[in-house]
PDB file of all heavy atoms in Angstrom:
ATOM      1  N   ALA A1641    -121.482  32.488  45.137  1.00 48.00           N
ATOM      2  CA  ALA A1641    -120.576  33.595  45.391  1.00 48.00           C
ATOM      3  C   ALA A1641    -121.128  34.542  46.435  1.00 48.00           C
ATOM      4  O   ALA A1641    -120.379  35.273  47.070  1.00 48.00           O
ATOM      5  CB  ALA A1641    -120.317  34.353  44.091  1.00 48.00           C
ATOM      6  N   ARG A1642    -122.431  34.544  46.620  1.00 49.00           N
ATOM      7  CA  ARG A1642    -123.053  35.451  47.576  1.00 49.00           C
ATOM      8  C   ARG A1642    -123.317  34.795  48.920  1.00 49.00           C
ATOM      9  O   ARG A1642    -123.836  35.417  49.827  1.00 49.00           O
ATOM     10  CB  ARG A1642    -124.376  35.965  46.989  1.00 49.00           C
ATOM     11  CG  ARG A1642    -124.197  36.747  45.697  1.00 49.00           C
ATOM     12  CD  ARG A1642    -125.475  37.442  45.332  1.00 49.00           C
ATOM     13  NE  ARG A1642    -126.550  36.509  45.051  1.00 49.00           N
ATOM     14  CZ  ARG A1642    -126.815  36.029  43.841  1.00 49.00           C
ATOM     15  NH1 ARG A1642    -126.053  36.388  42.832  1.00 49.00           N
ATOM     16  NH2 ARG A1642    -127.819  35.217  43.646  1.00 49.00           N
ATOM     17  N   SER A1643    -122.995  33.511  49.055  1.00 47.00           N
ATOM     18  CA  SER A1643    -123.244  32.798  50.307  1.00 47.00           C
ATOM     19  C   SER A1643    -121.939  32.247  50.835  1.00 47.00           C
ATOM     20  O   SER A1643    -121.275  31.453  50.177  1.00 47.00           O
ATOM     21  CB  SER A1643    -124.237  31.649  50.081  1.00 47.00           C
ATOM     22  OG  SER A1643    -124.393  30.906  51.261  1.00 47.00           O
ATOM     23  N   GLU A1644    -121.518  32.675  52.006  1.00 44.00           N
ATOM     24  CA  GLU A1644    -120.270  32.186  52.581  1.00 44.00           C
ATOM     25  C   GLU A1644    -120.398  30.774  53.107  1.00 44.00           C
ATOM     26  O   GLU A1644    -119.404  30.099  53.319  1.00 44.00           O
ATOM     27  CB  GLU A1644    -119.848  33.108  53.731  1.00 44.00           C
ATOM     28  CG  GLU A1644    -119.528  34.511  53.286  1.00 44.00           C
ATOM     29  CD  GLU A1644    -119.087  35.382  54.445  1.00 44.00           C
ATOM     30  OE1 GLU A1644    -119.124  34.888  55.587  1.00 44.00           O
ATOM     31  OE2 GLU A1644    -118.709  36.534  54.196  1.00 44.00           O
ATOM     32  N   THR A1645    -121.634  30.318  53.321  1.00 42.00           N
ATOM     33  CA  THR A1645    -121.837  28.970  53.849  1.00 42.00           C
ATOM     34  C   THR A1645    -122.048  27.953  52.752  1.00 42.00           C
ATOM     35  O   THR A1645    -122.292  26.795  53.042  1.00 42.00           O
ATOM     36  CB  THR A1645    -123.070  28.952  54.773  1.00 42.00           C
ATOM     37  OG1 THR A1645    -124.231  29.355  54.021  1.00 42.00           O
ATOM     38  CG2 THR A1645    -122.870  29.897  55.951  1.00 42.00           C
ATOM     39  N   SER A1646    -121.951  28.366  51.500  1.00 46.00           N
ATOM     40  CA  SER A1646    -122.194  27.430  50.407  1.00 46.00           C
ATOM     41  C   SER A1646    -121.065  26.425  50.344  1.00 46.00           C
ATOM     42  O   SER A1646    -119.903  26.745  50.606  1.00 46.00           O
ATOM     43  CB  SER A1646    -122.322  28.174  49.082  1.00 46.00           C
ATOM     44  OG  SER A1646    -122.435  27.275  48.021  1.00 46.00           O
ATOM     45  N   GLU A1647    -121.398  25.215  49.970  1.00 46.00           N
ATOM     46  CA  GLU A1647    -120.394  24.142  49.896  1.00 46.00           C
ATOM     47  C   GLU A1647    -119.582  24.229  48.623  1.00 46.00           C
ATOM     48  O   GLU A1647    -118.472  23.747  48.550  1.00 46.00           O
ATOM     49  CB  GLU A1647    -121.097  22.791  49.978  1.00 46.00           C
ATOM     50  CG  GLU A1647    -120.139  21.621  49.991  1.00 46.00           C
ATOM     51  CD  GLU A1647    -120.858  20.311  50.102  1.00 46.00           C
ATOM     52  OE1 GLU A1647    -122.107  20.329  50.214  1.00 46.00           O
ATOM     53  OE2 GLU A1647    -120.174  19.272  50.092  1.00 46.00           O
ATOM     54  N   PHE A1648    -120.115  24.886  47.579  1.00 46.00           N
ATOM     55  CA  PHE A1648    -119.457  24.881  46.283  1.00 46.00           C
ATOM     56  C   PHE A1648    -118.836  26.246  46.018  1.00 46.00           C
ATOM     57  O   PHE A1648    -119.415  27.289  46.303  1.00 46.00           O
ATOM     58  CB  PHE A1648    -120.454  24.548  45.171  1.00 46.00           C
ATOM     59  CG  PHE A1648    -121.108  23.222  45.351  1.00 46.00           C
ATOM     60  CD1 PHE A1648    -122.382  23.131  45.889  1.00 46.00           C
ATOM     61  CD2 PHE A1648    -120.444  22.061  45.016  1.00 46.00           C
ATOM     62  CE1 PHE A1648    -122.980  21.921  46.069  1.00 46.00           C
ATOM     63  CE2 PHE A1648    -121.034  20.838  45.189  1.00 46.00           C
ATOM     64  CZ  PHE A1648    -122.308  20.770  45.717  1.00 46.00           C
ATOM     65  N   GLU A1649    -117.653  26.237  45.444  1.00 49.00           N
ATOM     66  CA  GLU A1649    -116.994  27.461  45.075  1.00 49.00           C
ATOM     67  C   GLU A1649    -117.475  27.902  43.700  1.00 49.00           C
ATOM     68  O   GLU A1649    -117.846  27.090  42.865  1.00 49.00           O
ATOM     69  CB  GLU A1649    -115.481  27.227  45.023  1.00 49.00           C
ATOM     70  CG  GLU A1649    -114.909  26.792  46.365  1.00 49.00           C
ATOM     71  CD  GLU A1649    -113.448  26.470  46.250  1.00 49.00           C
ATOM     72  OE1 GLU A1649    -112.950  26.493  45.105  1.00 49.00           O
ATOM     73  OE2 GLU A1649    -112.821  26.192  47.277  1.00 49.00           O
ATOM     74  N   PRO A1650    -117.464  29.211  43.427  1.00 49.00           N
ATOM     75  CA  PRO A1650    -117.886  29.657  42.104  1.00 49.00           C
ATOM     76  C   PRO A1650    -116.973  29.097  41.039  1.00 49.00           C
ATOM     77  O   PRO A1650    -115.763  28.997  41.232  1.00 49.00           O
ATOM     78  CB  PRO A1650    -117.783  31.192  42.199  1.00 49.00           C
ATOM     79  CG  PRO A1650    -116.846  31.438  43.335  1.00 49.00           C
ATOM     80  CD  PRO A1650    -117.071  30.300  44.306  1.00 49.00           C
ATOM     81  N   PHE A1651    -117.545  28.766  39.939  1.00 49.00           N
ATOM     82  CA  PHE A1651    -116.813  28.115  38.863  1.00 49.00           C
ATOM     83  C   PHE A1651    -116.091  29.150  38.033  1.00 49.00           C
ATOM     84  O   PHE A1651    -116.667  30.168  37.646  1.00 49.00           O
ATOM     85  CB  PHE A1651    -117.771  27.318  37.987  1.00 49.00           C
ATOM     86  CG  PHE A1651    -117.106  26.710  36.775  1.00 49.00           C
ATOM     87  CD1 PHE A1651    -116.171  25.708  36.925  1.00 49.00           C
ATOM     88  CD2 PHE A1651    -117.412  27.157  35.506  1.00 49.00           C
ATOM     89  CE1 PHE A1651    -115.577  25.135  35.832  1.00 49.00           C
ATOM     90  CE2 PHE A1651    -116.815  26.593  34.414  1.00 49.00           C
ATOM     91  CZ  PHE A1651    -115.897  25.581  34.572  1.00 49.00           C
ATOM     92  N   SER A1652    -114.821  28.939  37.774  1.00 54.00           N
ATOM     93  CA  SER A1652    -114.035  29.814  36.918  1.00 54.00           C
ATOM     94  C   SER A1652    -113.518  28.994  35.762  1.00 54.00           C
ATOM     95  O   SER A1652    -112.826  27.999  35.971  1.00 54.00           O
ATOM     96  CB  SER A1652    -112.856  30.413  37.693  1.00 54.00           C
ATOM     97  OG  SER A1652    -113.327  31.202  38.752  1.00 54.00           O
ATOM     98  N   PRO A1653    -113.834  29.383  34.531  1.00 52.00           N
ATOM     99  CA  PRO A1653    -113.340  28.617  33.385  1.00 52.00           C
ATOM    100  C   PRO A1653    -111.831  28.710  33.313  1.00 52.00           C
ATOM    101  O   PRO A1653    -111.242  29.733  33.682  1.00 52.00           O
ATOM    102  CB  PRO A1653    -114.015  29.304  32.181  1.00 52.00           C
ATOM    103  CG  PRO A1653    -114.310  30.681  32.664  1.00 52.00           C
ATOM    104  CD  PRO A1653    -114.620  30.554  34.124  1.00 52.00           C
ATOM    105  N   PRO A1654    -111.168  27.673  32.872  1.00 54.00           N
ATOM    106  CA  PRO A1654    -109.714  27.693  32.808  1.00 54.00           C
ATOM    107  C   PRO A1654    -109.217  28.730  31.829  1.00 54.00           C
ATOM    108  O   PRO A1654    -109.841  28.971  30.791  1.00 54.00           O
ATOM    109  CB  PRO A1654    -109.361  26.259  32.359  1.00 54.00           C
ATOM    110  CG  PRO A1654    -110.585  25.774  31.676  1.00 54.00           C
ATOM    111  CD  PRO A1654    -111.739  26.419  32.387  1.00 54.00           C
ATOM    112  N   ALA A1655    -108.108  29.391  32.185  1.00 55.00           N
ATOM    113  CA  ALA A1655    -107.535  30.383  31.294  1.00 55.00           C
ATOM    114  C   ALA A1655    -106.937  29.707  30.073  1.00 55.00           C
ATOM    115  O   ALA A1655    -106.521  28.557  30.106  1.00 55.00           O
ATOM    116  CB  ALA A1655    -106.459  31.182  32.041  1.00 55.00           C
ATOM    117  N   ALA A1656    -106.907  30.458  28.974  1.00 53.00           N
ATOM    118  CA  ALA A1656    -106.377  29.897  27.739  1.00 53.00           C
ATOM    119  C   ALA A1656    -104.896  29.634  27.880  1.00 53.00           C
ATOM    120  O   ALA A1656    -104.178  30.393  28.544  1.00 53.00           O
ATOM    121  CB  ALA A1656    -106.631  30.857  26.578  1.00 53.00           C
ATOM    122  N   PRO A1657    -104.379  28.553  27.314  1.00 54.00           N
ATOM    123  CA  PRO A1657    -102.949  28.270  27.394  1.00 54.00           C
ATOM    124  C   PRO A1657    -102.134  29.380  26.767  1.00 54.00           C
ATOM    125  O   PRO A1657    -102.612  30.151  25.928  1.00 54.00           O
ATOM    126  CB  PRO A1657    -102.798  26.941  26.627  1.00 54.00           C
ATOM    127  CG  PRO A1657    -104.165  26.374  26.584  1.00 54.00           C
ATOM    128  CD  PRO A1657    -105.110  27.526  26.602  1.00 54.00           C
ATOM    129  N   SER A1658    -100.883  29.509  27.217  1.00 57.00           N
ATOM    130  CA  SER A1658    -100.026  30.582  26.712  1.00 57.00           C
ATOM    131  C   SER A1658     -99.782  30.444  25.226  1.00 57.00           C
ATOM    132  O   SER A1658     -99.730  31.445  24.504  1.00 57.00           O
ATOM    133  CB  SER A1658     -98.695  30.558  27.463  1.00 57.00           C
ATOM    134  OG  SER A1658     -98.064  29.295  27.313  1.00 57.00           O
ATOM    135  N   ASP A1659     -99.640  29.195  24.733  1.00 59.00           N
ATOM    136  CA  ASP A1659     -99.422  29.026  23.299  1.00 59.00           C
ATOM    137  C   ASP A1659    -100.635  29.456  22.489  1.00 59.00           C
ATOM    138  O   ASP A1659    -100.508  30.015  21.398  1.00 59.00           O
ATOM    139  CB  ASP A1659     -99.057  27.583  22.980  1.00 59.00           C
ATOM    140  CG  ASP A1659    -100.110  26.616  23.478  1.00 59.00           C
ATOM    141  OD1 ASP A1659    -100.985  27.066  24.251  1.00 59.00           O
ATOM    142  OD2 ASP A1659    -100.057  25.437  23.091  1.00 59.00           O
ATOM    143  N   ALA A1660    -101.849  29.257  23.059  1.00 54.00           N
ATOM    144  CA  ALA A1660    -103.056  29.700  22.356  1.00 54.00           C
ATOM    145  C   ALA A1660    -103.102  31.217  22.296  1.00 54.00           C
ATOM    146  O   ALA A1660    -103.482  31.807  21.280  1.00 54.00           O
ATOM    147  CB  ALA A1660    -104.298  29.148  23.049  1.00 54.00           C
ATOM    148  N   ARG A1661    -102.707  31.910  23.393  1.00 55.00           N
ATOM    149  CA  ARG A1661    -102.687  33.366  23.361  1.00 55.00           C
ATOM    150  C   ARG A1661    -101.659  33.879  22.377  1.00 55.00           C
ATOM    151  O   ARG A1661    -101.889  34.871  21.675  1.00 55.00           O
ATOM    152  CB  ARG A1661    -102.381  33.885  24.769  1.00 55.00           C
ATOM    153  CG  ARG A1661    -103.502  33.637  25.777  1.00 55.00           C
ATOM    154  CD  ARG A1661    -103.332  34.526  26.999  1.00 55.00           C
ATOM    155  NE  ARG A1661    -102.079  34.232  27.692  1.00 55.00           N
ATOM    156  CZ  ARG A1661    -101.967  33.358  28.675  1.00 55.00           C
ATOM    157  NH1 ARG A1661    -103.030  32.685  29.099  1.00 55.00           N
ATOM    158  NH2 ARG A1661    -100.805  33.155  29.270  1.00 55.00           N
ATOM    159  N   ASP A1662    -100.500  33.215  22.296  1.00 58.00           N
ATOM    160  CA  ASP A1662     -99.474  33.634  21.336  1.00 58.00           C
ATOM    161  C   ASP A1662     -99.976  33.480  19.913  1.00 58.00           C
ATOM    162  O   ASP A1662     -99.731  34.344  19.060  1.00 58.00           O
ATOM    163  CB  ASP A1662     -98.201  32.820  21.540  1.00 58.00           C
ATOM    164  CG  ASP A1662     -97.582  33.106  22.905  1.00 58.00           C
ATOM    165  OD1 ASP A1662     -97.912  34.164  23.486  1.00 58.00           O
ATOM    166  OD2 ASP A1662     -96.798  32.263  23.387  1.00 58.00           O
ATOM    167  N   ARG A1663    -100.708  32.367  19.649  1.00 59.00           N
ATOM    168  CA  ARG A1663    -101.242  32.192  18.304  1.00 59.00           C
ATOM    169  C   ARG A1663    -102.251  33.276  17.971  1.00 59.00           C
ATOM    170  O   ARG A1663    -102.292  33.795  16.855  1.00 59.00           O
ATOM    171  CB  ARG A1663    -101.891  30.807  18.191  1.00 59.00           C
ATOM    172  CG  ARG A1663    -100.892  29.655  18.134  1.00 59.00           C
ATOM    173  CD  ARG A1663    -101.550  28.399  17.570  1.00 59.00           C
ATOM    174  NE  ARG A1663    -102.700  28.036  18.372  1.00 59.00           N
ATOM    175  CZ  ARG A1663    -102.628  27.220  19.415  1.00 59.00           C
ATOM    176  NH1 ARG A1663    -101.460  26.705  19.769  1.00 59.00           N
ATOM    177  NH2 ARG A1663    -103.715  26.905  20.097  1.00 59.00           N
ATOM    178  N   THR A1664    -103.093  33.655  18.946  1.00 56.00           N
ATOM    179  CA  THR A1664    -104.088  34.692  18.701  1.00 56.00           C
ATOM    180  C   THR A1664    -103.418  36.020  18.389  1.00 56.00           C
ATOM    181  O   THR A1664    -103.824  36.750  17.486  1.00 56.00           O
ATOM    182  CB  THR A1664    -104.999  34.829  19.936  1.00 56.00           C
ATOM    183  OG1 THR A1664    -105.580  33.563  20.218  1.00 56.00           O
ATOM    184  CG2 THR A1664    -106.098  35.839  19.666  1.00 56.00           C
TER     185      THR A1664
END
Side-chain angles (χ1 to χ4, degrees):
R1642 299 191 296 269
S1643 175
E1644 296 181 356
T1645 60
S1646 175
E1647 183 179 358
F1648 301 100
E1649 299 176 354
F1651 175 67
S1652 298
S1658 58
D1659 56 348
R1661 292 197 298 269
D1662 295 340
R1663 287 199 303 270
T1664 304

